């Protein structure tokens, strides 16, 4: 590691003095800060490039174990007059530790994201909820809409872990006090161990269950993460009460535990749950086994390593901000990495030196209630400032990201923008414009990567409202205004609007217009979450029985769009829907391994397939693509492909782990289609 700047020498001296005092009390373990440094570095490497360290995100789980250990050790033997003194002291320390750096980060990056993203609403809401320790719950709600927004573009995505920890801090001090541990009673440590052990087992069972039934909940909820922080607590109590446990674990070479942690980080995503458990266990062992005589202790107590651990909170906050802003602007390239790392470190050092440390050590107002009150007011004021920032900078709309390799451009924001904002041409090269519902976005990542290799620009726009307006006539209040009697007028209006936008995008010679939709749009048993809305259909039925009105409208829409594309010298492509996992059964788990015979999968989507094939057969200038067999084996369609979950929910949408699974399929098809002499697909 290069030498630290000269101006940091006094800070390191103060740090060592503080360490000496803490070591004298037997509480401070500098190697724990060294482990924090390791954890934050693995997270940063993963966030730079997931291929370099696929499981680097598990560094957050190491942080959870450390948090449980440190919080328990900090409360061990701490004198308190009564419960009020104990609880107010605990929350005062947490507020002084977390709020200042977080508030500064959220406010500054909120301004930055407004300058580079013309639609920063989701990021800003995530930031506001993070101030109250609720961003994990907000992100969980957003995860129900798989294509709501790319996590890499949300500048506050990483604050979910702070929400989990803060919610843990609400519960944990009560366990400490009520067990007697905080009051230093005779059986306090034993009582806390038994209570926390029981809750740990329950939390771990919940984590394993949710991992197979509702993975976002397993990831974002504090109860399903409690066991990780509790593991750190149990590690500390075990050492205090059972010297034999510590002596046994001391025999484990810490470098072996560290090597195993790194090895686990290279396991496939299909083993995510097992990897998490392994890292938590190994982190606990590593904390126990690092003694002064070991090589790992010497590495982790190196002053420079310890310093990275000390600034790890600020570094964790700012690293994602730098990466997210970079993705919106210059991108992430081999040449940009040194500058981005330097900026992360510079911001983290400034935050630690001038915000985090002074405010944590300073006695704010002399009285705890005043500190708690001011902390709450700071959070509220910061939230209000973010609202004003959005109002003030939102009208500037400076955020029109540059279209460069590795950069997020406006065309990649299409999943959460209107077509007017989205389908805007950046250059004169040939381009593919893709429209449809959320099932189109199943294909977008694979198509984008394939077209990038072919040197073709890609402009996708999924989740389109006009799909619903045309094919799901609605009666009642709400944004969907088309009733059954107005469907033809809706078709004329919506298709007309879309073709005008495409016309302004200079769609022309050599361009390709793609259309794709879910087979479910042809069925009659849809549901709306808004109770004020209700569907009106000519009749009701299930698999294989399509809505004839919708069939007719879809056919008309496809022909209208095809006529537009072909009249301007382009080509028109329809893409069939993805396979149905597990036949007609409810698909409730992204990790549930199940399969359905290929014949049943094909039969289930036959109405849409038949319609698309008929249109393509009758029009030599309309091309039909079917990715079905690329997602199925010879005889079966399975929910797991190449060891990773194929689907992310029960809609179904393709999971993040398999988002590029169709890249080769689309590359070969569009290579043929982009050829001016490209033949008719069979």
């Amino acid at each position: 590691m290069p030498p630290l700047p000269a101006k940091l020498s006094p800070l390191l001296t103060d740090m060592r003095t503080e360490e000496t005092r803490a070591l004298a009390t037997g509480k401070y373990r500098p190697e724990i800060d060294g482990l924090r440094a390791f954890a934050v570095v693995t997270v940063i490497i993963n966030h730079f490039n997931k291929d370099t360290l696929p499981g680097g995100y598990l560094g957050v789980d190491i942080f959870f174990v450390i948090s449980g250990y440190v919080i328990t050790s900090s409360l061990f033997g701490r004198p308190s007059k009564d419960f009020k003194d104990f609880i107010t002291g605990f929350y005062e320390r947490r507020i002084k530790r977390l709020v200042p750096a977080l508030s500064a980060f959220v406010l500054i990056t909120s301004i930055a994201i407004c300058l580079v993203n013309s639609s920063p609403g989701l990021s800003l809401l995530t930031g506001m909820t993070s101030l109250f320790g609720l961003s994990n719950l907000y992100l969980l709600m957003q995860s129900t809409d798989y294509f709501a927004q790319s996590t890499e573009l949300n500048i506050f995505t990483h604050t979910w872990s702070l929400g989990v920890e803060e919610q843990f801090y609400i519960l944990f001090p009560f366990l400490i006090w009520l067990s007697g541990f905080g009051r230093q009673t005779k059986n306090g440590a034993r009582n806390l161990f038994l209570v926390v052990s029981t809750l740990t087992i329950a939390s771990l069972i919940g984590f394993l269950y949710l991992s197979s039934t509702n993975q976002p909940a397993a990831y974002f909820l504090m109860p399903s993460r409690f066991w990780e922080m509790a593991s750190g607590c149990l590690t500390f109590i075990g050492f205090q009460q059972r010297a034999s446990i510590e002596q046994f674990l001391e025999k484990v070479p810490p470098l072996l535990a560290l090597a195993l942690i790194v090895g686990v980080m290279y396991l496939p995503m299909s083993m995510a749950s097992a990897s998490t458990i392994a890292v938590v266990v190994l982190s606990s062992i590593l904390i126990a086994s690092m003694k002064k005589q070991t090589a790992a202790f010497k590495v982790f107590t190196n002053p420079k390593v310890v310093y990275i651990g000390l600034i790890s909170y600020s570094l964790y906050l700012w690293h994602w901000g730098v990466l997210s802003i970079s993705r919106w602007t210059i991108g992430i390239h081999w040449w940009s990495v040194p500058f981005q790392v330097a900026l992360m470190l510079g911001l983290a050092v400034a935050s630690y030196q001038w915000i985090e440390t002074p405010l944590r050590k300073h006695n704010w107002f002399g009285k705890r209630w005043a500190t708690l009150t001011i902390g709450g007011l700071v959070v509220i004021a910061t939230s209000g400032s973010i609202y004003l920032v959005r109002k003030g900078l939102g009208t500037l709309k400076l955020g029109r990201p540059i279209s460069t390799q590795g950069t997020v451009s406006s065309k990649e924001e299409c999943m959460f923008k209107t077509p007017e904002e989205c389908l805007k041409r950046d250059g004169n090269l040939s381009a593919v414009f893709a429209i449809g519902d959320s099932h189109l976005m199943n294909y977008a990542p694979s198509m984008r990567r394939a077209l990038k290799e072919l040197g073709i620009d890609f402009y996708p726009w999924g989740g389109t409202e006009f799909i619903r307006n045309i094919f799901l006539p609605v009666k009642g209040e709400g944004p969907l205004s088309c009733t059954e009697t107005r469907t033809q007028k809706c078709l004329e209006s919506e298709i007309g609007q879309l073709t005008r936008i495409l016309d302004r995008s200079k769609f022309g010679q050599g361009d390709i217009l793609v259309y794709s939709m879910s087979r479910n749009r042809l069925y009659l048993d849809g549901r709306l979450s808004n109770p004020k809305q209700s569907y009106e259909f000519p009749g009701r039925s299930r698999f294989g029985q399509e809505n004839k009105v919708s069939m007719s409208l879809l056919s008309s829409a496809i022909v209208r769009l095809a006529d537009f594309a072909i009249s301007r010298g382009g080509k028109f492509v329809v893409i069939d829907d993805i396979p149905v996992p597990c036949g007609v059964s409810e698909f409730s788990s992204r990790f549930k391994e199940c399969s359905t015979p290929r014949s049943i999968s094909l039969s289930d989507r036959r109405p849409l397939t038949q319609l698309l094939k008929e249109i393509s057969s009758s029009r030599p200038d309309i091309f039909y693509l079917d990715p079905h067999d690329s997602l199925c084996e010879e005889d079966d369609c399975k929910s797991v492909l190449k060891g990773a979950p194929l689907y992310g929910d029960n809609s179904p949408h393709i999971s993040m782990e398999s988002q590029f699974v169709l890249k080769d399929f689309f590359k070969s098809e569009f290579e043929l289609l982009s050829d001016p002499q490209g033949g008719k697909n069979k």
Side-chain angles (χ1 to χ4, degrees):
M1 182 180 291
L4 292 171
K7 65 179 182 180
L8 295 182
S9 297
L11 186 62
L12 274 173
T13 302
D14 292 343
M15 181 192 78
R16 292 191 187 101
T17 303
E18 183 180 338
E19 288 172 22
T20 302
R21 288 196 299 266
L23 282 168
T25 66
K27 286 187 176 181
Y28 180 70
R29 293 184 58 183
E31 70 274 21
I32 299 297
D33 277 321
L35 185 55
R36 279 197 180 104
F38 169 76
V40 76
V41 168
T42 61
V43 171
I44 293 173
I45 292 173
N46 175 262
H47 289 167
F48 259 112
N49 188 332
K50 291 181 173 61
D51 294 332
T52 303
L53 191 62
Y57 66 91
L58 292 167
V60 173
D61 301 278
I62 299 175
F63 273 122
F64 285 157
V65 177
I66 293 173
S67 293
Y69 182 90
V70 171
I71 287 297
T72 309
S73 64
S74 68
L75 295 175
F76 178 68
R78 181 181 290 273
S80 298
K81 298 176 183 177
D82 50 31
F83 177 71
K84 179 182 177 182
D85 180 62
F86 171 80
I87 203 72
T88 55
F90 178 85
Y91 289 133
E92 179 191 36
R93 291 189 297 275
R94 290 296 90 201
I95 285 176
K96 292 169 70 174
R97 172 78 171 92
L98 299 174
V99 170
L102 178 62
S103 297
F105 164 74
V106 170
L107 183 58
I108 293 171
T109 49
S110 292
I111 296 172
I113 196 63
C114 285
L115 296 176
V116 298
N117 177 8
S118 57
S119 299
L122 290 176
S123 284
L124 296 183
L125 282 173
T126 308
M128 291 174 70
T129 54
S130 74
L131 293 169
F132 297 91
L134 299 173
S135 59
N136 60 319
L137 301 180
Y138 176 72
L139 290 167
L140 174 60
M141 290 188 293
Q142 295 304 309
S143 71
T144 59
D145 182 1
Y146 178 74
F147 295 106
Q149 183 176 19
S150 169
T151 56
E152 292 185 347
L153 305 183
N154 186 336
I155 200 168
F156 299 116
T157 296
H158 65 314
T159 61
W160 72 269
S161 63
L162 302 182
V164 169
E165 285 202 39
E166 288 174 36
Q167 290 157 31
F168 174 78
Y169 295 150
I170 292 175
L171 171 66
F172 193 62
F174 288 92
L175 298 179
I176 291 282
W177 184 263
L178 294 175
S179 66
F181 186 85
R183 289 171 284 148
Q184 304 175 46
T185 62
K186 179 180 179 181
N187 295 322
R190 185 196 65 179
N191 295 339
L192 181 64
F193 188 88
L194 292 175
V195 171
V196 172
S197 296
T198 302
L199 293 175
T200 298
I201 294 171
S203 173
L204 180 56
I205 292 173
F207 171 78
L208 293 173
Y209 173 75
L210 290 174
S211 294
S212 62
T213 59
N214 188 348
Q215 196 274 342
Y219 191 85
F220 287 121
L221 288 178
M222 188 278 287
S224 57
R225 292 286 192 170
F226 176 91
W227 66 277
E228 300 185 45
M229 290 162 282
S231 297
C233 169
L234 294 176
T235 300
F236 179 82
I237 299 173
F239 294 167
Q240 296 299 317
Q241 300 299 309
R242 292 287 185 272
S244 58
I245 297 176
E246 185 174 9
Q247 291 169 1
F248 173 76
L249 292 177
E250 283 180 0
K251 297 178 181 178
V252 178
L255 288 180
L256 173 62
L258 185 64
L260 290 174
I261 289 175
V262 175
V264 169
M265 290 181 176
Y266 284 95
L267 293 177
M269 281 298 298
S270 58
M271 299 181 64
S273 298
S275 298
T276 302
I277 295 172
V279 163
V280 169
V281 172
L282 289 169
S283 297
S284 299
I285 294 174
L286 187 57
I287 290 173
S289 60
M290 275 197 295
K291 300 303 178 182
K292 290 185 178 180
Q293 66 273 19
T294 63
F297 181 89
K298 296 177 182 178
V299 172
F300 281 124
T301 55
N302 181 287
K304 295 176 182 178
V305 176
V306 171
Y307 184 74
I308 296 298
L310 288 170
I311 68 170
S312 60
Y313 174 52
S314 290
L315 184 56
Y316 180 77
L317 288 176
W318 284 101
H319 91 279
W320 185 263
V322 171
L323 289 177
S324 186
I325 293 294
S326 295
R327 290 188 171 98
W328 281 103
T329 52
I330 66 170
I332 298 173
H333 314 272
W334 64 267
W335 54 265
S336 68
V337 171
F339 300 100
Q340 287 156 340
V341 170
L343 182 58
M344 291 174 189
L345 286 171
L347 290 168
V349 168
S351 174
Y352 177 77
Q353 185 172 354
W354 294 318
I355 299 175
E356 187 182 339
T357 301
L359 292 177
R360 186 177 75 248
K361 293 180 178 180
H362 182 67
N363 188 359
W364 289 11
F365 300 100
K367 295 183 178 181
R368 288 176 178 173
W369 67 266
T371 300
L372 297 174
T373 301
I374 294 300
L377 291 176
V378 167
V379 167
I380 294 172
T382 306
S383 299
S385 299
I386 294 172
Y387 177 79
L388 295 176
V389 164
R390 173 66 182 119
K391 287 292 184 181
L393 297 182
T395 57
L396 296 179
K397 292 190 176 180
L398 301 180
R400 188 60 61 187
I402 306 166
S403 179
T404 330
Q405 183 178 5
T407 302
V408 177
S409 68
S410 58
K411 58 179 173 288
E412 293 177 288
E413 302 172 60
C414 296
M415 61 185 72
F416 49 93
K417 279 181 174 289
T418 66
E420 186 75 34
E421 296 174 293
C422 186
L423 305 182
K424 290 189 175 182
R425 196 77 175 257
D426 287 345
N428 297 318
L429 298 175
S430 61
V432 171
F433 294 82
I435 60 173
D437 58 14
S438 66
H439 279 218
L440 166 74
M441 302 312 291
N442 274 320
Y443 303 137
S446 293
M447 291 174 68
R448 178 178 289 114
R449 182 163 287 190
L451 292 168
K452 182 178 179 180
E453 292 183 6
L454 295 174
I456 301 173
D457 280 344
F458 182 47
Y459 300 84
W461 181 49
T464 56
E465 287 299 318
F466 84 87
I467 293 289
R468 296 178 182 175
N469 285 344
I470 296 172
F471 302 120
L472 292 179
V474 173
K475 182 178 182 180
E477 300 178 24
L480 311 182
S481 58
C482 292
T483 62
E484 184 181 342
T485 57
R486 294 180 55 209
T487 51
Q488 192 61 38
K489 289 184 179 179
C490 282
L491 173 66
E492 296 295 327
S493 173
E494 300 289 347
I495 296 294
Q497 178 190 8
L498 181 60
T499 53
R500 284 192 295 273
I501 293 169
L502 286 167
D503 194 41
R504 287 197 294 273
S505 74
K506 297 181 174 62
F507 183 96
Q509 188 74 32
D511 292 336
I512 298 173
L513 179 58
V514 173
Y515 180 84
S516 181
M517 65 173 280
S518 164
R519 73 195 189 288
N520 293 328
R521 299 299 184 193
L522 298 180
Y523 299 143
L524 311 177
D525 56 352
R527 297 289 185 269
L528 279 179
S529 58
N530 187 345
K532 295 182 179 180
Q533 296 176 339
S534 61
Y535 292 120
E536 279 196 352
F537 294 112
R540 289 186 177 276
S541 56
R542 184 61 175 172
F543 295 94
Q545 299 297 316
E546 64 276 13
N547 181 340
K548 299 300 183 183
V549 174
S550 293
M551 294 283 282
S552 174
L553 289 169
L554 177 58
S555 178
S556 178
I558 289 175
V559 171
R560 285 283 303 276
L561 291 172
D563 287 342
F564 168 85
I566 295 162
S567 67
R568 283 158 178 75
K571 294 180 179 179
F572 185 77
V573 177
V574 289
I575 305 179
D576 211 331
D577 199 12
I578 62 176
V580 181
C582 309
V584 300
S585 63
E586 181 69 17
F587 185 68
S588 59
S589 166
R590 68 196 297 272
F591 287 110
K592 174 182 175 184
E593 293 195 32
C594 56
S595 65
T596 188
R598 180 176 177 275
S599 58
I600 293 179
S601 176
L602 290 171
S603 175
D604 177 59
R605 61 178 203 152
R606 182 170 293 147
L608 177 62
T609 299
Q610 196 168 15
L611 175 65
L612 297 180
K613 284 186 174 181
E614 286 176 358
I615 295 173
S616 178
S617 299
S618 64
R619 293 279 301 265
D621 45 14
I622 297 178
F623 296 81
Y624 169 79
L625 301 183
D626 188 2
H628 182 279
D629 289 351
S630 295
L631 299 175
C632 295
E633 298 181 354
E634 290 186 8
D635 300 321
D636 296 298
C637 294
K638 297 182 177 180
S639 63
V640 175
L641 189 67
K642 298 179 180 178
L646 182 56
Y647 302 99
D649 54 32
N650 62 352
S651 289
H653 295 119
I654 292 177
S655 69
M656 288 295 292
E657 293 88 343
S658 299
Q659 60 180 321
F660 303 120
V661 69
L662 291 170
K663 192 264 290 185
D664 292 338
F665 168 80
F666 283 123
K667 184 177 180 180
S668 62
E669 295 291 349
F670 280 102
E671 190 170 24
L672 178 63
L673 286 167
S674 60
D675 185 345
Q677 306 300 320
K680 175 74 175 178
N681 281 358
K682 301 298 182 184

